[in-house]
C-alpha cells in the first residue's frame, strides 16, 4: 500500500520552535506519511502566512492536498482523542495518589527489605500529604480562591486558607519520621476534620458543583469523594499516630 502524502507548515525560528508543529510532525511520521515539511523561519513569515491563507494558527497540515487544520485537527483525523480535554477530571489527583503509593512501597522495601503493610500505609498517607501540600504551595492565591468557596473556616477567615497548606505539608514531613507527633497530629486532625465537614456540607447536603482545591486549584478536579478521601486519610493518619505514640498499640 502506497504512503499518503502530508504537508505541514510550522514555525521554526531561532527564538521559537513550535511545540505543536513538532508533535504534529511526529504523529505524521509515526503514522507512516510521506511528509513535506515547510518551516516558517520568522515571526513575520508566520504572520504573513496566516494572513495570506486566512488561518488563525500554525501549524497547518494538509493530507493528500486537503487542508485538515492544526494539531488537534490532525489527532481527530487520525481517530485520536483530544490531547487537551476540557471539563472536570480526576487525573491530577489519581496521578498523585498512584505515585505516592509506589513511593511508599519502594521506601518500605528500602528500609526493611520487606513490605510491612502498616508502614506502607503510613508512608503513603504522609507522602500524599506532602505532595498535595506542594501542589497548594505553588500558588497560594489560586488555592485559596478555590478553597474559600467551600471550606467553612476559610470562609470565616481567609488567612486560614493560606495556613492550611503549611500545616498539611509540615505534618506530612514530620509524620514520615514520627517527629513531634503531639504537635503535628492534633493540627492535622483539626484541619482535616474541618475539611471533611466542609466537603460533606457543600457537596452532599447543599449539592454544590465545585472544583476541588486539593491539588492547588484550577485543574478541573471535581469536589467530592476524592477530596473527602484526602481529608479522611489525614484524619486517620493523625489518630493513628497519636494512638501509636501513646503506646496503646505496639508493633
Amino acid at each position: 500500500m502506497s504512503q499518503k502524502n502530508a504537508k505541514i507548515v510550522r514555525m521554526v525560528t531561532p527564538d521559537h520552535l513550535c511545540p505543536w508543529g513538532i508533535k504534529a510532525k511526529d504523529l505524521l511520521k509515526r503514522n507512516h506519511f510521506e511528509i513535506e515539511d515547510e518551516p516558517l523561519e520568522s515571526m513575520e513569515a508566520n504572520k504573513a502566512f496566516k494572513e495570506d491563507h486566512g488561518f488563525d494558527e500554525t501549524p497547518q497540515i494538509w493530507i493528500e492536498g486537503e487542508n485538515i487544520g492544526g494539531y488537534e485537527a490532525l489527532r481527530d483525523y487520525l481517530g485520536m482523542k483530544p490531547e487537551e480535554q476540557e471539563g472536570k477530571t480526576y487525573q491530577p489527583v489519581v496521578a498523585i495518589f498512584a505515585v505516592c503509593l509506589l513511593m511508599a512501597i519502594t521506601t518500605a522495601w528500602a528500609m526493611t527489605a520487606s513490605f510491612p503493610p502498616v508502614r506502607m500505609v503510613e508512608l503513603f498517607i504522609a507522602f500524599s500529604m506532602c505532595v498535595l501540600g506542594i501542589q497548594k504551595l505553588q500558588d497560594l492565591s489560586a488555592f485559596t480562591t478555590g478553597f474559600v468557596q467551600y471550606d467553612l473556616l476559610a470562609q470565616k477567615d481567609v488567612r486560614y486558607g493560606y495556613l492550611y497548606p503549611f500545616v498539611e505539608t509540615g505534618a506530612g514531613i514530620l509524620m514520615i519520621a514520627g517527629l513531634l507527633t503531639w504537635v503535628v497530629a492534633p493540627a492535622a486532625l483539626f484541619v482535616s476534620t474541618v475539611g471533611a465537614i466542609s466537603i460533606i456540607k457543600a457537596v452532599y447536603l447543599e449539592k454544590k458543583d465545585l472544583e476541588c482545591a486539593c491539588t492547588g486549584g484550577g485543574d478541573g478536579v471535581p469536589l467530592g469523594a476524592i477530596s473527602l478521601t484526602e481529608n479522611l486519610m489525614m484524619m486517620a493518619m493523625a489518630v493513628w499516630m497519636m494512638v501509636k505514640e501513646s503506646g496503646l498499640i505496639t508493633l
Side-chain angles (χ1 to χ4, degrees), residues 54-73:
F55 295 130
D56 294 327
E57 63 179 6
T58 54
Q60 288 294 318
I61 299 108
W62 285 259
I63 304 289
E64 297 292 332
E66 179 183 352
N67 177 251
I68 63 168
Y71 173 66
E72 288 293 351

Side-chain angles (χ1 to χ4, degrees), residues 101 104-105 108 112 114-125 240 251:
L101 177 59
I105 293 171
T112 66
S114 63
F115 298 108
V118 173
R119 187 56 180 154
M120 286 192 295
V121 172
E122 289 177 350
L123 289 171
F124 166 61
I125 296 175
W240 166 250
L251 298 176

Side-chain angles (χ1 to χ4, degrees), residues 15-221:
D15 299 322
H16 180 72
L17 188 60
C18 175
W20 311 118
I22 295 172
K23 287 186 170 186
K25 185 178 178 182
D26 178 69
L27 275 183
L28 292 169
K29 186 184 299 182
R30 287 192 283 118
N31 283 273
H32 311 294
F33 283 88
E34 187 70 34
I35 305 169
E36 178 187 349
D37 187 8
E38 184 177 317
L40 300 168
E41 299 180 340
S42 69
M43 296 295 290
E44 292 75 17
N46 186 60
K47 181 179 179 182
F49 171 79
K50 290 190 290 185
E51 289 178 350
D52 291 345
H53 295 84
F55 295 130
D56 294 327
E57 63 179 6
T58 54
Q60 288 294 318
I61 299 108
W62 285 259
I63 304 289
E64 297 292 332
E66 179 183 352
N67 177 251
I68 63 168
Y71 173 66
E72 288 293 351
L74 175 61
R75 291 182 66 89
D76 183 61
Y77 176 88
L78 296 172
M80 302 173 69
K81 294 180 179 179
E83 187 169 81
E84 296 185 357
Q85 299 185 41
E86 297 182 356
K88 294 183 178 179
T89 174
Y90 285 109
Q91 182 175 336
V93 73
V94 170
I96 288 172
F97 284 156
V99 171
C100 288
L101 177 59
L102 293 174
M103 288 170 60
I105 293 171
T106 54
T107 301
W109 174 262
M111 295 170 61
T112 66
S114 63
F115 298 108
V118 173
R119 187 56 180 154
M120 286 192 295
V121 172
E122 289 177 350
L123 289 171
F124 166 61
I125 296 175
F127 287 161
S128 298
M129 290 167 64
C130 292
V131 176
L132 289 167
I134 291 170
Q135 292 291 108
K136 298 173 178 71
L137 289 169
Q138 288 183 94
D139 190 340
L140 283 171
S141 179
F143 165 69
T144 55
T145 298
F147 195 56
V148 297
Q149 295 183 58
Y150 59 86
D151 189 86
L152 297 173
L153 194 51
Q155 290 173 354
K156 298 291 185 182
D157 190 335
V158 175
R159 291 174 297 180
Y160 172 73
Y162 287 93
L163 177 65
Y164 182 96
F166 291 95
V167 174
E168 180 178 34
T169 310
I173 291 170
L174 293 171
M175 284 178 172
I176 291 171
L179 297 173
L180 301 177
T181 298
W182 291 112
V183 176
V184 299
L189 180 60
F190 175 78
V191 298
S192 57
T193 301
V194 172
I197 294 171
S198 299
I199 292 168
I200 291 170
K201 179 176 183 292
V203 176
Y204 299 104
L205 298 181
E206 297 177 349
K207 307 296 182 182
K208 291 182 178 179
D209 184 18
L210 299 171
E211 284 191 12
C212 179
C214 56
T215 55
D219 51 11
V221 176

